[in-house]
Amino acid sequence: MKIAGFDWDAGNWPKCAKHGVSKDEIEYALFHDPLIAPDPAHSGPEDRYIVIGRNRQGRPMFMGVTFRMVDGKRLIRPITARYMHAKEVKRYETQRSQTENR
């Protein structure tokens, strides 16, 4: 899926920023080998996705996103983002190693 950029505004940026992550960290994690899964529990008129990735320093992050078409371009709209807790990191590492060994 070709992505043209990000859809940031006053609606989604404050929700992401309140957890101490930066736009740069979110954008980096989303473009560098993230794990993406559908999030049917939070989907409605738009499909939502759970994304797990890492910032430039390698710190694992959890994100919720949707994809939107704006002016004919497909954009990623981050909905929430935060650093992962230790238990989540362990589960992520296990899942990642299983995925890579396939």
Side-chain angles (χ1 to χ4, degrees):
M1 175 184 326
K2 186 174 179 179
I3 303 297
F6 291 86
D7 181 15
W8 290 112
D9 64 25
N12 65 338
W13 171 237
K15 291 177 188 174
C16 295
K18 75 179 179 181
H19 296 291
V21 297
S22 69
K23 287 181 184 178
D24 180 63
E25 287 178 297
I26 295 166
E27 292 177 4
Y28 182 89
L30 289 168
F31 274 127
H32 290 86
D33 200 27
L35 292 177
I36 302 172
D39 185 7
H42 294 101
S43 294
E46 292 184 309
D47 291 331
R48 299 235 175 145
Y49 299 87
I50 294 169
V51 181
I52 301 198
R54 292 182 178 272
N55 67 9
R56 288 181 202 279
Q57 292 73 35
R59 188 170 181 185
M61 296 172 59
F62 172 89
M63 295 157 282
V65 304
T66 192
F67 298 91
R68 289 193 175 165
M69 293 298 291
V70 178
D71 298 328
K73 297 177 183 174
R74 184 178 305 277
L75 303 178
I76 299 174
R77 181 175 177 81
I79 298 163
T80 189
R82 63 175 173 77
Y83 299 113
M84 293 171 58
H85 304 291
K87 276 186 172 180
E88 294 171 316
V89 172
K90 186 175 181 176
R91 192 173 358 164
Y92 162 72
E93 295 294 345
T94 300
Q95 185 177 3
R96 183 56 129 197
S97 68
Q98 290 173 351
T99 302
E100 291 173 353
N101 290 329
R102 288 185 188 172

